[in-house]
Amino acid sequence: MIEDFYKYQAQTSPYPLGMEVSHAKGSYIYDTKGKAYLDFVAGVSAASLGHQNARVNQAIIDQLNKYSHVMVYGEYAQHPATEFCRLLAHHMPEKLSKTYLVNSGTEATEGALKLARRVTGRSQLISCFKAYHGNTMGSMSVMGFEERKQIFRPLIPDVDFITFNSEEDLQKITTKTAGIILETIQGGAGFIQPQNDFLKKVRQRCDEVGALMILDEIQPGFGRTGKLFGFENYGVVPDIVVMGKGMGGGMPVGAFTAAPEMMDLLSHDPKLGHITTFGGHPVIAAACLATLQEITETDIMAQALEKEKLFRKLLVHPLIKEVRGEGLMLAAMTESASITDKVILRCQEKGLILFWLLFDGTAIRITPPLTISEEEIIEGCGIIIEVMNEIAAGQ
């Protein structure tokens, strides 16, 4: 399989990890030789309820037995998508009650940027340095990392950048600004959290000049920070919420949510202001509904905060400078990219899956399934400390 993987499947980097996957269950992934790997990454925060979650799987099977794709998005009323959007609205701030379902986080970003321009009639978009909102052309235009996008220019015009947590930079948001898009917690930059009421100050500035506040919840959303959405930790309500990853319990999906009076503008002048064939796919929507029900009907979000405490207690080592993040969106920061590389690669050899962050080479991603057990956390952290001891000893 590995030869065909390299020969026929396009790669994203020169050195993929190359594990040949046999199956996965709970917090473990198994290779074709039968070796078990404890998963501290969850498909980069996507498998929120672990692998092969019974409730999600059953919802998928039940829907497959009824119907799959029947019509492009927005034409037919289909129970899984409708019920998911209704339940999501029930758990969101009152004004955020209408959701557009798409196929991925980056497509949700594209829709949110278009909506900001449609609502305001303005063109300028503002993002942050070291921001990541996806990799399609619009999303790449608001990526704050020139090295990754220079080769693909020209991108969409009239985009400016500020520094996350810089209050002074908020003056760049003016009456020419359609919207500012922010990750609630900066992911690729190293799980940077907002400080000194930064998000509240962004909200205030947007209100002053009539710009829209777009919060990207693709990573923090759906329980990962101990709340359904990360912005609930910071006392703000955005105009548009972008989501993806963990909302589908491992299935490919994205969405953006706003007030009805905003979202309805995409249906006229022009018609089909945003359109997707497979957005709201009934099988995917069934998985989303089951995931949202499981997260909101159990104490899984409260557990995430308790599990964070256990991670912080166990991940103490001279090679770890700090542990950033909140809930089960954590990054162990080392002194150098070289150390981080060694830790990630050696841990995989010992049966623990870790991963990198996009822009900070010193960060070790720790975003396990929300369902991970305390025993599994102890097991995985033990492997990390064992590997760090070996590195510190020059082995």
Side-chain angles (χ1 to χ4, degrees):
M1 189 191 341
I2 195 68
E3 291 180 5
D4 287 348
F5 171 69
Y6 284 111
K7 185 176 181 179
Y8 298 112
Q9 189 171 341
Q11 307 299 313
T12 57
S13 72
Y15 308 108
L17 291 173
M19 183 198 299
E20 297 184 68
V21 177
S22 166
H23 62 285
K25 181 71 174 177
S27 300
Y28 290 87
I29 298 173
Y30 298 83
D31 69 17
T32 52
K33 296 179 181 179
K35 183 176 178 179
Y37 297 82
L38 179 56
D39 186 1
F40 268 19
V41 177
V44 188
S45 305
S48 46
L49 299 179
H51 303 286
Q52 301 297 314
N53 177 269
R55 186 170 188 172
V56 174
N57 275 12
Q58 192 60 53
I60 291 169
I61 292 167
D62 290 346
Q63 184 57 44
L64 275 172
N65 287 330
K66 294 176 182 175
Y67 62 91
S68 184
H69 178 71
V70 290
M71 178 52 72
V72 296
Y73 179 80
E75 294 297 328
Y76 290 176
Q78 301 175 59
H79 178 267
T82 301
E83 182 61 14
F84 171 77
C85 292
R86 185 201 67 78
L87 184 60
L88 184 64
H90 177 74
H91 289 283
M92 294 276 267
E94 185 175 356
K95 75 172 186 176
L96 297 172
S97 62
K98 204 156 198 177
T99 295
Y100 198 118
L101 297 170
V102 292
N103 305 284
S104 65
T106 191
E107 188 183 339
T109 298
E110 299 280 346
L113 297 178
K114 288 169 64 179
L115 182 58
R117 286 181 165 179
R118 177 67 177 85
V119 169
T120 63
R122 304 172 184 177
S123 63
Q124 186 194 46
L125 299 166
I126 293 178
S127 183
C128 285
F129 294 112
K130 295 187 177 181
Y132 181 78
H133 300 286
N135 228 20
T136 46
M137 296 298 275
S139 299
M140 186 176 287
S141 300
V142 293
M143 180 197 297
F145 201 78
E146 190 62 25
E147 178 184 331
R148 295 281 180 91
K149 64 183 185 178
Q150 179 60 44
I151 194 68
F152 302 107
R153 287 189 176 279
L155 300 171
I156 66 171
D158 208 3
V159 177
D160 202 358
F161 292 87
I162 66 172
T163 299
F164 196 76
N165 281 326
S166 171
E167 188 173 348
E168 291 182 6
D169 280 4
L170 297 184
Q171 294 307 306
K172 289 186 176 181
I173 306 172
T174 70
T175 52
K176 296 180 179 179
T177 305
I180 176 170
I181 184 167
L182 304 161
E183 297 160 275
T184 306
I185 297 174
Q186 276 203 306
F191 289 3
I192 308 298
Q193 294 175 260
Q195 303 294 329
N196 300 318
D197 288 329
F198 178 66
L199 294 183
K200 286 184 177 180
K201 293 168 183 175
V202 173
R203 174 75 274 173
Q204 181 179 355
R205 181 62 179 167
C206 286
D207 291 341
E208 290 171 354
V209 301
L212 299 190
M213 182 182 187
I214 307 167
L215 284 184
D216 179 342
E217 287 277 346
I218 294 172
Q219 287 204 69
F222 292 89
R224 189 151 290 278
T225 68
K227 300 285 188 181
L228 188 59
F229 291 101
F231 66 78
E232 297 176 66
N233 294 299
Y234 302 105
V236 296
V237 178
D239 296 297
I240 307 173
V241 179
V242 176
M243 61 196 83
K245 287 192 183 294
M247 71 180 284
M251 299 295 277
V253 72
F256 57 106
T257 298
E261 59 269 23
M262 292 185 186
M263 199 68 81
D264 289 347
L265 294 174
L266 293 177
S267 68
H268 61 88
D269 302 321
K271 290 186 291 185
L272 309 179
H274 197 65
I275 190 65
T276 170
T277 297
F278 290 114
H281 190 285
V283 177
I284 305 296
C288 292
L289 176 58
T291 299
L292 181 58
Q293 289 170 332
E294 186 69 13
I295 290 172
T296 57
E297 292 173 6
T298 68
D299 65 347
I300 197 168
M301 289 187 279
Q303 286 183 33
L305 298 178
E306 293 304 311
K307 291 170 184 177
E308 175 194 352
K309 294 176 184 177
L310 181 56
F311 270 111
R312 291 187 179 277
K313 177 182 176 182
L314 297 172
L315 291 177
V316 177
H317 193 276
L319 294 184
I320 299 176
K321 294 169 57 180
E322 63 174 317
V323 177
R324 294 180 185 166
E326 191 161 7
L328 291 178
M329 183 178 175
L330 302 173
M333 312 301 295
T334 72
E335 295 179 353
S336 70
S338 175
I339 292 173
T340 289
D341 290 346
K342 289 178 183 178
V343 171
I344 292 172
L345 295 174
R346 290 192 189 183
C347 280
Q348 176 158 317
E349 292 175 1
K350 293 177 181 287
L352 175 68
I353 298 173
L354 301 167
F355 209 58
W356 294 267
L357 297 184
L358 283 174
F359 307 139
D360 192 330
T362 68
I364 301 170
R365 170 188 285 275
I366 300 172
T367 55
L370 304 184
T371 50
I372 194 167
S373 69
E374 291 187 1
E375 292 76 16
E376 290 164 343
I377 293 171
I378 293 168
E379 176 190 349
C381 289
I383 294 173
I384 294 173
I385 299 303
E386 176 185 341
V387 167
M388 288 187 166
N389 285 338
E390 292 173 0
I391 294 171
Q395 299 175 12

